[in-house]
Amino acid sequence: MKNIVVFAIGVACTLFCHAQTENPRGIYKMTTLTGNLGEINAPFDQYKICTDSVTLHIHVHGDRFTIKNNDHQIFNYTGPNPKTPENKSILIYDSNEKQFMLKWWSNYETVYYPKNDWCLEKYESGVYSDMGRIIVDALTNTKAKDKEQPLLGTWRNLGYLDELKNTRKSIAQLIEQYPTSKYAHQYLVYNEKNLVVITQNSGMVLRVENDGKDAFKTGTIPQRVKWLSKDRIAVEIISDYRRDWNILERVTDDTPLRDIADFYVQ
């Protein structure tokens, strides 16, 4: 009986240790911070998107957010201890698909971060603030086109036109210029309640009210939609007595998150 118990404990330890030394992969929210104030609940609404090619950092503040490659490294398991006393590299440990610990050397001196000392941040998957959930859902949106509400979904911003004449030629020019235009890597994601505007390194969430297939409202501002094809629309933009048309193309082959990650990997 004693041998069985010892064997069971050994197996459990082996499984646990293995599970805690995996490379974190997925989307994780910071849940605690250990610094000047000891261990506290995370004072910031921030996330790490861990992939095999890049680690992205999302910081949510109100209805706005930023996306950056702050860490400049892939988060792989390192263990909790630096290789040498002088080594101040980022450490990743207690890591698996559900959580990980991030240990980093702080050169800051703030209410949360010490000067010249280690900080600990715990991250957990499947945890979001209300706004964080909206943003992450928009970044990873792969929802199929809704026949009843075709505006819902992810749209690539191709640019703007002054008028809708010779649209085939004008849009062809926008598509040709798109890879090097200032609108590259810009997306608009519509759902039943929100419009999430995503750029390469930032974005915002607007409350939206859908008004059928050909119009919607952001706040009290109505915006008319003209369908150019089943996957391409022109959104009317009126400001200072001027009317322009924002040309959007439905995304069917990737997500904004993949595009942003690929940009930082280049």
Side-chain angles (χ1 to χ4, degrees):
M1 181 68 179
K2 180 178 179 181
N3 289 337
I4 294 176
V5 172
V6 171
F7 174 76
I9 292 174
V11 170
C13 181
T14 300
L15 293 174
F16 176 79
C17 292
H18 175 72
Q20 298 296 99
T21 61
E22 297 173 7
N23 298 329
R25 293 294 181 265
I27 302 174
Y28 301 79
K29 184 184 190 303
M30 184 170 76
T31 54
T32 65
L33 167 67
T34 304
N36 278 341
L37 303 179
E39 184 180 79
I40 60 173
N41 291 332
F44 312 115
D45 189 8
Q46 68 182 43
Y47 304 80
K48 299 290 186 183
I49 300 178
C50 303
T51 76
D52 288 330
S53 55
V54 69
T55 302
L56 296 178
H57 176 96
I58 299 179
H59 181 79
V60 180
H61 38 100
D63 58 2
R64 297 176 181 269
F65 60 96
T66 56
I67 308 172
K68 296 182 179 180
N69 182 14
N70 281 358
D71 302 291
H72 303 290
Q73 71 176 70
I74 299 166
F75 278 6
N76 289 331
Y77 175 83
T78 63
N81 301 313
K83 295 179 180 179
T84 66
E86 297 77 22
N87 191 314
K88 309 303 181 187
S89 300
I90 287 176
L91 299 171
I92 303 295
Y93 60 98
D94 287 351
S95 54
N96 56 27
E97 63 181 7
K98 295 182 179 180
Q99 66 174 47
F100 71 90
M101 294 296 297
L102 166 62
K103 185 175 180 180
W104 60 279
W105 185 260
S106 171
N107 291 315
Y108 305 104
E109 188 171 10
T110 71
V111 64
Y112 301 115
Y113 303 133
K115 180 72 172 180
N116 296 326
D117 202 354
W118 292 100
C119 275
L120 302 179
E121 296 176 0
K122 182 176 182 178
Y123 287 82
E124 298 182 65
S125 65
V127 181
Y128 304 92
S129 66
D130 291 342
M131 190 60 70
R133 168 63 76 178
I134 293 170
I135 293 165
V136 169
D137 283 351
L139 286 167
T140 59
N141 178 57
T142 55
K143 185 178 180 180
K145 182 165 56 177
D146 190 318
K147 294 182 179 179
E148 298 299 321
Q149 296 179 289
L151 279 175
L152 302 186
T154 302
W155 300 82
R156 179 183 291 107
N157 183 5
L158 296 180
Y160 292 81
L161 296 177
D162 295 334
E163 54 185 4
L164 296 181
K165 293 182 179 180
N166 300 318
T167 54
R168 181 175 296 181
K169 180 179 179 180
S170 299
I171 292 175
Q173 290 176 340
L174 290 180
I175 292 173
E176 182 180 358
Q177 298 165 0
Y178 177 78
T180 58
S181 78
K182 64 181 180 180
Y183 304 111
H185 315 292
Q186 291 188 11
Y187 296 89
L188 291 88
V189 183
Y190 294 89
N191 61 37
E192 289 82 357
K193 297 181 180 180
N194 304 287
L195 165 60
V196 184
V197 181
I198 303 169
T199 68
Q200 180 55 58
N201 53 22
S202 64
M204 68 176 67
V205 179
L206 302 171
R207 298 300 179 186
V208 68
E209 179 182 344
N210 291 292
D211 188 11
K213 299 180 180 180
D214 303 320
F216 63 92
K217 290 181 180 179
T218 52
T220 59
I221 302 173
Q223 292 186 276
R224 187 162 60 101
V225 174
K226 183 175 179 60
W227 287 87
L228 306 177
S229 69
K230 65 177 182 178
D231 291 323
R232 200 169 283 158
I233 59 176
V235 179
E236 185 180 42
I237 308 294
I238 298 177
S239 60
D240 298 329
Y241 305 101
R242 173 187 173 90
R243 182 175 69 175
D244 293 301
W245 296 92
N246 187 194
I247 309 302
L248 306 179
E249 182 179 66
R250 189 187 303 277
V251 173
T252 58
D253 57 348
D254 61 4
T255 64
L257 181 57
R258 185 179 300 116
D259 183 28
I260 292 169
D262 288 345
F263 175 85
Y264 279 115
V265 170
Q266 294 175 2

